[in-house]
Amino acid sequence: KNQVEQSPQSLIILEGKNCTLQCNYTVSPFSNLRWYKQDTGRGPVSLTIMTFSENTKSNGRYTATLDADTKQSSLHITASQLSDSASYICVVSAGNTDKLIFGTGTRLQVFP
Amino acid sequence: NAGVTQTPKFQVLKTGQSMTLQCAQDMNHEYMSWYRQDPGMGLRLIHYSVGAGITDQGEVPNGYNVSRSTTEDFPLRLLSAAPSQTSVYFCASSRTSGDGDTGELFFGEGSRLTVL
């Protein structure tokens, strides 16, 4: 069964600190992996999209990594800001069905 | 550039009532879709469309109807609302089918529906 699991479910950090969110998937065949940021009460916004051949992709202070062999991805946030408080959703695309499988998200809270 | 616009943002219905959630995009995207988001669950696909005149069912289509008469608009109709349809609904669009290597999905701001 195609699944995307994210950990931790929630995370609290202090402003200025770094953090790493994890995403494990069992989607086959794999097409691409995406990370979205969803602010409370808003729609998800794309951070990165990575294909099989990409193992690192950055978007400002956000850096996503992909290990297609172990089927794991991580999202690293550097020098966190209060505005980073949001849910972060990992999404994997199944290449043979055009289907997107969504994780349940990690809720990040950044405190001053 | 408005992107994906959803209306209404909030709606309360009584069981058995019908209503339409509106979605419009101004990016000339062929692919449009509707998702629902419930606590503790990932976004689930309700219906999608790969172009005007073409629609198909997603993972949880029961109780919902869609049509795509133009590239810009993709309304979602609740035929007879039930409490199980209480959720936050998101419309999304993309330039490709949604899983291509450049198929970034653009979401609307969501419509929060409560069915009493």
Side-chain angles (χ1 to χ4, degrees), chain B residues 76-103:
Chain B
L76 179 72
R77 298 182 184 84
L78 278 70
L79 309 173
S80 177
S84 60
Q85 294 178 304
T86 294
S87 187
V88 181
Y89 292 85
F90 288 97
C91 180
S93 73
S94 81
R95 185 165 54 86
T96 66
S97 65
D99 75 339
D101 57 6
T102 56

Side-chain angles (χ1 to χ4, degrees), chain B residues 51-67:
Chain B
I54 306 169
T55 63
D56 207 345
Q57 296 182 349
E59 183 184 355
V60 288
N62 292 340
Y64 307 95
N65 199 4
V66 292
S67 59

Side-chain angles (χ1 to χ4, degrees), chain B residues 33-49:
Chain B
S33 53
W34 277 101
Y35 292 87
R36 60 178 290 173
Q37 187 174 41
D38 300 295
M41 302 183 73
L43 283 149
R44 292 183 292 169
L45 181 64
I46 303 171
H47 284 286
Y48 66 98
S49 168

Side-chain angles (χ1 to χ4, degrees), chain A residues 31-32 34 36 38 41-44 46 49 51 93 98 100 102-104, chain B residues 35 37 40-43 90 97-101 103-105 107-109:
Chain A
S31 178
N32 60 64
R34 308 145 184 247
Y36 285 85
Q38 184 176 22
R42 308 292 296 273
S46 178
I49 300 176
T51 60
S93 173
D98 289 356
L100 297 178
F102 288 79
T104 56
Chain B
Y35 292 87
Q37 187 174 41
M41 302 183 73
L43 283 149
F90 288 97
S97 65
D99 75 339
D101 57 6
E104 180 179 356
L105 209 54
F107 285 87
E109 295 291 5

Side-chain angles (χ1 to χ4, degrees), chain A residues 79-97:
Chain A
S80 61
Q81 300 177 356
L82 299 179
S83 60
D84 293 330
S85 295
S87 288
Y88 292 84
I89 303 172
C90 177
V91 186
V92 179
S93 173
N96 62 345
T97 62

